[in-house]
């Protein structure tokens, strides 16, 4: 589990979980070890998490991915599609951070021969280094000019998603999401 702000700084990372661990289990552990949501705030999460007042998930079964709203496709047709579109735009920051980490630190792509107790520390170390580079106003454009074959693809490790099987919903989260989505829809210029 990873959280970031809109400036692409990593604000939280939980390491050491197997890919088969459910999002709910990882989140429960994170909350038990000090991860909190500031009062009156919420995190945008993917569909693998329960929708609550603190963790807003997209509407299920409604267009979500940015490519579904791309060129030549329809604008949002209702408040749920509009919410999902804006949710995807905002949540894209965490996907961007993950892409930057994987590109900047190729060790995240390969199996290592380190002891497991050390392997679980590698993602946290890369997150810390990433934030230091960001604080020092590090130039990220060099990432676009890296040789893609630094590590042979045969050495890559598949990272399971694990976000597809969660069915939990929370009434208060649904009400909050609906309120936000309806306000967005009311403010949205309709053609």
């Amino acid at each position: 589990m990873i959280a970031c702000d809109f400036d692409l700084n990593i604000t939280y990372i939980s390491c050491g979980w197997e890919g088969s661990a459910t999002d709910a289990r990882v989140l429960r552990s994170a909350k038990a070890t000090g991860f909190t949501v500031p009062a009156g705030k919420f995190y945008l999460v993917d569909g693998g998490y329960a929708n609550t007042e603190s963790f807003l998930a997209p509407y299920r079964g409604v267009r979500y991915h940015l490519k579904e709203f791309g060129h030549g496709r329809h604008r949002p047709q209702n408040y749920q599609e509009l919410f999902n579109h804006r949710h995807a735009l905002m949540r894209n920051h965490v996907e961007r951070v993950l892409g930057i980490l994987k590109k900047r630190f190729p060790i995240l792509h390969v199996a290592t021969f380190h002891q497991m107790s050390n392997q679980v520390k590698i993602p946290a170390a890369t997150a810390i280094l990433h934030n230091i580079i960001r604080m020092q106003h590090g130039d990220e454009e060099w990432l676009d000019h890296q040789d893609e074959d630094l590590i042979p693809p045969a050495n890559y490790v598949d990272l399971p998603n694990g976000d597809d099987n969660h069915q939990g919903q929370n009434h208060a989260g649904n009400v909050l999401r609906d309120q936000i989505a309806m306000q967005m829809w009311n403010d949205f210029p309709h053609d």
Side-chain angles (χ1 to χ4, degrees):
M1 183 178 104
I2 191 168
C4 73
D5 62 21
F6 295 118
D7 292 323
L8 304 180
N9 295 303
I10 297 170
T11 58
Y12 184 83
I13 188 168
S14 176
C15 305
W17 288 93
E18 295 179 8
S20 62
T22 65
D23 292 331
R25 185 173 167 208
V26 175
L27 179 59
R28 195 169 36 253
S29 172
K31 290 167 72 176
T33 57
F35 178 68
T36 59
V37 179
K41 304 290 183 181
F42 53 84
Y43 283 94
L44 299 176
V45 296
D46 66 32
Y49 290 86
N51 187 57
T52 69
E53 289 178 286
S54 298
F55 301 95
L56 290 184
Y59 288 99
R60 294 181 184 273
V62 176
R63 269 195 308 172
Y64 178 76
H65 297 286
L66 295 177
K67 65 183 177 190
E68 296 173 358
F69 293 97
H71 299 292
R73 293 189 172 78
H74 301 289
R75 292 167 35 116
Q77 300 298 304
N78 58 50
Y79 71 96
Q80 291 177 336
E81 284 189 1
L82 179 62
F83 179 87
N84 277 7
H85 182 250
R86 291 186 177 168
H87 185 283
L89 287 171
M90 301 303 284
R91 216 183 129 286
N92 196 42
H93 286 80
V94 77
E95 300 299 335
R96 185 168 171 217
V97 162
L98 290 170
I100 290 169
L101 282 175
K102 289 176 184 178
K103 208 166 192 181
R104 180 177 280 154
F105 303 105
I107 193 170
L108 296 173
H109 283 286
V110 297
T112 67
F113 296 105
H114 299 285
Q115 294 178 353
M116 187 59 71
S117 60
N118 289 334
Q119 285 186 40
V120 299
K121 297 174 187 173
I122 293 171
T126 62
I128 291 166
L129 292 171
H130 165 81
N131 283 350
I132 291 169
I133 292 168
R134 300 276 307 149
M135 285 189 294
Q136 297 300 318
H137 307 290
D139 180 9
E140 294 180 3
E141 289 185 18
W142 63 271
L143 292 169
D144 295 328
H145 306 291
Q146 295 299 306
D147 182 6
E148 294 294 328
D149 296 326
L150 289 175
I151 299 173
N155 292 339
Y156 290 2
V157 175
D158 290 330
L159 300 175
N161 186 343
D163 291 341
D164 301 326
N165 299 325
H166 189 64
Q167 300 297 322
Q169 291 290 306
N170 179 283
H171 178 69
N174 291 345
V175 170
L176 176 62
R177 180 179 61 193
D178 285 345
Q179 290 172 345
I180 293 170
M182 289 301 290
Q183 184 61 49
M184 285 179 185
W185 184 248
N186 291 336
D187 294 341
F188 186 67
H190 305 282
D191 287 343

